[in-house]
């Protein structure tokens, strides 16, 4: 999680305590995209209230506030735990070796940075994914981006 996301979470916790910041990311250097969730759902009114609370950030960025949609970002251990059993895509910062399907696992591995499969476990340190190359555990520190996939 970025420092900017932590700052946004802290600010919203005071005025909109039930709003969860799923992801805050700077895109293209000038656009701040904030995905939020709420137990009662995300409405246009809620997005407007959050935008108003982040007015000062509009001096530095073009601000987008929206619901996560069907391909919800996963950024925290609690997110991964909540969706164990669902399909997800996890992209890593560095290539990770995985077994190549149909080959001897000890003999052949292909380093990759993108894994798609079922979330099978999530601890405080890593997520385990049953991907097409086998079951792989990925430390959260090595995750660049991850999101749910539509079933």
């Amino acid at each position: 999680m970025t420092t900017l996301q932590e700052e946004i979470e802290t600010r919203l916790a005071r005025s909109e305590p039930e709003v969860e910041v799923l992801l805050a990311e700077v895109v293209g250097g000038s656009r701040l995209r904030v995905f939020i969730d709420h137990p009662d759902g995300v409405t246009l009114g809620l997005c407007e209230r959050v935008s108003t609370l982040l007015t000062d950030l509009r001096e530095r960025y073009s601000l987008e506030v929206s619901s996560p949609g069907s391909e919800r970002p996963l950024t925290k251990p609690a997110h991964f735990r909540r969706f164990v059993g669902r399909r997800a895509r996890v992209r890593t910062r560095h290539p990770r070796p995985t077994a190549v399907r149909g080959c001897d696992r000890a003999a052949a591995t292909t380093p990759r940075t993108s894994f798609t499969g079922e979330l099978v476990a999530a601890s405080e340190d890593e997520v385990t994914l049953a991907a097409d190359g086998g079951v792989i555990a990925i430390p959260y520190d090595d995750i660049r981006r991850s999101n749910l996939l539509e079933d």
Side-chain angles (χ1 to χ4, degrees), residues 85-101:
R86 297 273 310 270
R87 287 182 44 76
R89 179 179 302 120
V90 177
R91 285 151 292 208
T92 59
R93 297 180 196 290
H94 309 287
R96 302 182 63 78
T98 60
V100 176
R101 186 177 281 177

Side-chain angles (χ1 to χ4, degrees), residues 77-78 81 121-128 140:
R81 281 192 295 275
S123 70
E124 283 301 310
D125 302 314
E126 65 186 14
V127 62
T128 305
Y140 295 120

Side-chain angles (χ1 to χ4, degrees), residues 60-125:
R60 291 185 285 173
Y61 306 103
S62 167
L63 181 63
E64 294 178 11
V65 177
S66 69
S67 67
S70 60
E71 295 198 353
R72 173 189 189 97
L74 304 169
T75 59
K76 303 173 186 175
H79 296 163
F80 288 94
R81 281 192 295 275
R82 178 177 172 191
F83 294 104
V84 164
R86 297 273 310 270
R87 287 182 44 76
R89 179 179 302 120
V90 177
R91 285 151 292 208
T92 59
R93 297 180 196 290
H94 309 287
R96 302 182 63 78
T98 60
V100 176
R101 186 177 281 177
C103 296
D104 177 349
R105 289 186 95 143
T109 61
T110 302
R112 299 184 344 197
T113 58
S114 182
F115 302 89
T116 300
E118 180 183 340
L119 297 172
V120 293
S123 70
E124 283 301 310
D125 302 314

Side-chain angles (χ1 to χ4, degrees), residues 33-54:
R33 185 177 295 151
V34 181
F35 292 101
I36 60 173
D37 202 4
H38 189 278
D40 296 330
V42 177
T43 64
L44 180 58
L46 178 61
C47 290
E48 289 173 347
R49 289 195 312 271
V50 169
S51 293
T52 299
L53 292 168
L54 302 177

